[in-house]
Amino acid sequence: MMKDLECVLYTKEEIDARVKELGEQISRDYAGKDPVFVGILKGSFIFMADLVRAVSIPCSMDFMSVSSYGSGTQTTGAVKIIKDLSRDIEGKDVIMVEDILDTGITLNYLMGYLGNRRPASLRIVTLLNKEARRHKDIHLDVAYTGFHIPDGFVVGYGLDYAEEYRNLPCIGILSSSVYAPDGAEKKE
Ligand code: IMP
Ligand code: MG
């Protein structure tokens, strides 16, 4: 798997240190509350598992599954809910947990979707943020961010390409030769 990476962006140790900081910050900010972490499957499952163990206040967890990508590297623009929350979030402090904020379409949609259920508050924690690709009309200033990353397709630590590479302990940029083997330009 490592040979398919163009480069490693963050090692396991660097990720662990940053996730611990995020957990501590959230524990301070939500002291006295009992937040619900909502993991957006599947990409966030490893990040969520590490993050909640770095949180020292009472909290609960739920999951949603959405699809916007198919198996390629470019978004289709449409967000489909595959699995919804199993509990009501009205009056709760909700923190959505995402692997990566790319165009922002997924989280923007989910902010509206979950916002309609009248949570006491709604924030996002995303491990990675590719700000360069954010759609101009989307303003997500409610996010805790692990790392700001340059454009490029990344895999590892939960992030996949065609369902593979999620189990890489580090995060790296996938070689374009993996998804464009004939050297073709990446499609926009
Ligand atoms: P957005 O709606 O464009 O912000 O896309 C968010 C989702 O796209 C993430 O939750 C990922 O599942 C997927 N995604 C976006 N960029 C990457 C990437 O570089 N590697 C792997 N998945 C990605
Ligand atoms: Mg995802």
Side-chain angles (χ1 to χ4, degrees):
M1 283 191 297
M2 291 298 284
K3 72 172 179 8
D4 294 340
L5 297 185
E6 197 173 294
C7 64
V8 171
L9 285 181
Y10 300 104
T11 63
K12 180 183 184 305
E13 291 69 31
E14 288 168 328
I15 299 167
D16 287 350
R18 185 66 187 123
V19 171
K20 189 164 174 281
E21 283 175 2
L22 287 171
E24 287 166 358
Q25 190 183 346
I26 292 171
S27 305
R28 281 195 300 276
D29 293 353
Y30 285 80
K33 299 182 174 161
D34 184 357
V36 186
F37 288 90
V38 172
I40 312 301
L41 295 172
K42 301 174 217 169
S44 71
F45 83 108
I46 292 179
F47 174 43
M48 171 116 160
D50 286 343
L51 179 71
V52 295
R53 283 178 290 179
V55 167
S56 54
I57 56 170
C59 59
S60 60
M61 285 137 235
D62 204 341
F63 294 92
M64 287 185 77
S65 180
V66 303
S67 152
S68 61
Y69 262 60
S71 59
T73 61
Q74 295 295 312
T75 183
T76 60
V79 180
K80 196 167 92 193
I81 307 278
I82 295 167
K83 181 215 171 296
D84 209 325
L85 294 178
S86 55
R87 298 185 64 182
D88 191 15
I89 53 163
E90 185 169 344
K92 300 291 257 176
D93 293 294
V94 175
I95 306 173
M96 278 192 277
V97 184
E98 253 290 34
D99 50 357
I100 184 166
L101 190 45
D102 183 16
T103 62
I105 291 171
T106 309
L107 279 175
N108 190 57
Y109 177 84
L110 290 175
M111 285 294 285
Y113 186 76
L114 295 185
N116 281 339
R117 298 187 187 171
R118 309 202 303 169
S121 67
L122 183 55
R123 286 197 76 171
I124 295 164
V125 54
T126 183
L127 180 65
L128 304 175
N129 192 335
K130 262 193 226 172
E131 215 143 322
R133 287 186 29 94
R134 191 70 23 79
H135 273 210
K136 286 186 286 303
D137 49 342
I138 293 177
H139 300 283
L140 290 170
D141 49 5
V142 289
Y144 294 100
T145 295
F147 301 104
H148 291 271
I149 60 165
D151 196 8
F153 198 80
V154 295
V155 294
Y157 196 70
L159 290 122
D160 74 308
Y161 170 64
E163 293 302 328
E164 290 187 15
Y165 306 99
R166 292 193 200 275
N167 57 326
L168 269 181
C170 63
I171 294 171
I173 298 196
L174 188 65
S175 281
S176 57
S177 62
V178 175
Y179 52 84
D182 54 357
E185 279 295 301
K186 203 169 107 177
K187 285 200 296 287
E188 271 308 319

